[in-house]
Amino acid sequence: MSDSRRTDAVLLLVALVWGSSYLSAQTATSALPVLVVLFARYALSALSCLGLVAAGRGKERERGSGSRLWTREEVRAGLPLGLTQAAVLVVETYGVAHTTAANAGLIISLTIVLTPLLDRAGHPGGLPPAFYAAAGVCVLAVGLLMSGNGFHTPRLGDLLMLGAALIRAVHVALVGRLTTGRPIRPLHLTTLQTVIGTALFLPAAASDLPVLVRADSGTWTQLLYLALFCSVFAFLAQTWAVQRTSASRASLLLGTEPIWAAAIGIALGGEHLTPLTALGATLMVTGTYWGQSVERAHRAAQAKFLAPGAPTRPILSLGAASPDPPSR
C-alpha cells in the first residue's frame, strides 16, 4: 500500500471510529448513568494519555534533553478548552441517550457550518451567500431528521444534539484562537483536557461508582472503546495522518463521520430511516459538504489576496479546527 493510500485509510478509520462513538455511547448509557459513563471515559483516556506523556519524558531523559511537563501556553489553552470540551461531551452524551445514534451523528455535523460563523466573528468581511444557502439546507435537514414519521414536537435528544453542535462549534473556534501560532504540543494539551474532565465529573459520579464497578464486561468494553479508540487513538491517528496529506483531502475524508454514524446505527443498532429522515440525512450530508467546500475556497482566496503563499488554517472535521486539535 502506498503512503497516500495508507494515510487515506487511517483518516477513514478515524471517521469510522468517531461515527461509531454515538452507538457506543448510547449502549453504555443504557447500562450506566450518563455522568458515570463520562467519568469513566475521561478517566481511562487520562490514564492512557499520562502513560504516553511519561513514556515520552523517559525517552527525552535518555537523550539528555527535556522540557517542562506543561508549558504556560499549554496550561492557558488547556484550562478553558478542558471546560468547553467537557460541556460538549455532557450535552452530547445526554442527547445520544435520548435519540438515535444516526440522528445524533447527523445533527452534530452542523458544527461544520456553525464553526466558520463563530470563527469569523469580529473579522472584517463575511462569508459568501452560497455558504448561507448551504447552512439553510442543513437547517431544513435538521427539521426533517427531527420529524421521524411525521412532523411533531422535537425529541429531547435531538434538541440536546443541536445544543451540543452549537457548543462544539464554540469549542472548535476557541481551539483555533488559543492554539494558532503558539508552541503547543497536541498530546500534552489533550492530556490536560482529559485530566480536567476527570476532575470535573468525579464529584458528580462519585455516588454511582459502585454501579460502575459492578458493570458487566460488555459495558466495560464500550467504555474502553470510547476512551481508547474514540478519544486517544483517533486523536493520535488523526494528527499522524494530517501531517502526511493536504488539509482539503483530510477534511473530505474526516467529513464522512456522519455517514458512518448513520450506517452503523442502522446496521448494528437496528435503527430505521423513514422517508423523511432519509431525505434529512441526504440533505445534511450535502449541506455540510457544500458549506465546508465554500468556506474552504473562500478562506484560500482571502489568504492568497492578503498574503500570497501564507498557510491557511483548515477546519478538518467535526472536532477539529487546526492540524493539532484536541481529542473528542
Side-chain angles (χ1 to χ4, degrees), residues 36-300:
V36 173
V37 171
L38 287 168
F39 166 73
R41 179 176 181 176
Y42 263 108
L44 292 169
S45 298
L47 289 172
S48 301
C49 288
L50 287 169
L52 292 172
V53 170
R57 294 280 292 178
K59 291 181 180 179
E60 288 179 353
R61 291 193 184 96
E62 289 177 3
R63 294 193 300 264
S65 62
S67 57
R68 296 177 61 184
L69 190 55
W70 277 283
T71 65
R72 183 175 301 176
E73 289 83 1
E74 288 164 352
V75 172
R76 285 178 176 174
L79 290 176
L81 292 179
L83 295 175
T84 54
Q85 185 187 61
V88 171
L89 281 180
V90 71
V91 177
E92 180 182 294
T93 307
Y94 272 110
V96 170
H98 293 88
T99 188
T100 64
N103 266 23
L106 290 162
I107 292 174
I108 201 70
S109 65
L110 273 173
T111 303
I112 291 176
V113 294
L114 289 173
T115 300
L117 295 174
L118 295 174
D119 199 33
R120 291 179 178 275
H123 293 275
L127 290 161
F131 181 86
Y132 295 98
V137 171
C138 292
V139 172
L140 175 60
V142 169
L144 292 172
L145 288 170
M146 288 183 172
S147 67
N149 294 315
F151 293 100
H152 53 76
T153 304
R155 288 177 292 189
L156 173 62
D158 292 333
L159 293 174
L160 288 171
M161 292 310 299
L162 272 176
L166 178 59
I167 298 170
R168 184 182 285 185
V170 172
H171 173 73
V172 172
L174 194 60
V175 169
R177 296 188 183 187
L178 294 178
T179 63
T180 301
R182 293 179 173 86
I184 291 177
R185 295 163 294 180
L187 176 59
H188 288 69
L189 178 61
T190 301
T191 302
L192 184 59
Q193 288 176 268
T194 58
V195 170
I196 291 171
T198 303
L200 286 173
F201 289 115
L202 175 57
S207 61
D208 291 317
L209 288 183
V211 180
L212 176 62
V213 174
R214 295 192 299 268
D216 59 28
S217 59
T219 301
W220 273 104
T221 299
Q222 298 296 337
L223 294 174
L224 288 168
Y225 181 74
L226 285 169
L228 303 183
F229 286 87
C230 300
S231 295
V232 180
F233 162 76
F235 163 69
L236 294 176
Q238 180 194 25
T239 302
W240 175 87
V242 165
Q243 293 172 341
R244 290 162 173 79
T245 189
S246 68
S248 297
R249 193 168 185 82
S251 178
L252 177 67
L253 295 169
L254 291 170
T256 61
E257 178 187 342
I259 301 174
W260 291 114
I264 291 171
I266 294 168
L268 300 181
E271 299 174 359
H272 301 281
L273 287 181
T274 66
L276 283 177
T277 53
L279 177 59
T282 302
L283 289 177
M284 179 62 77
V285 173
T286 301
T288 52
Y289 268 82
W290 182 18
Q292 187 181 55
S293 63
V294 169
E295 191 277 337
R296 186 169 58 245
H298 179 67
R299 174 168 28 85

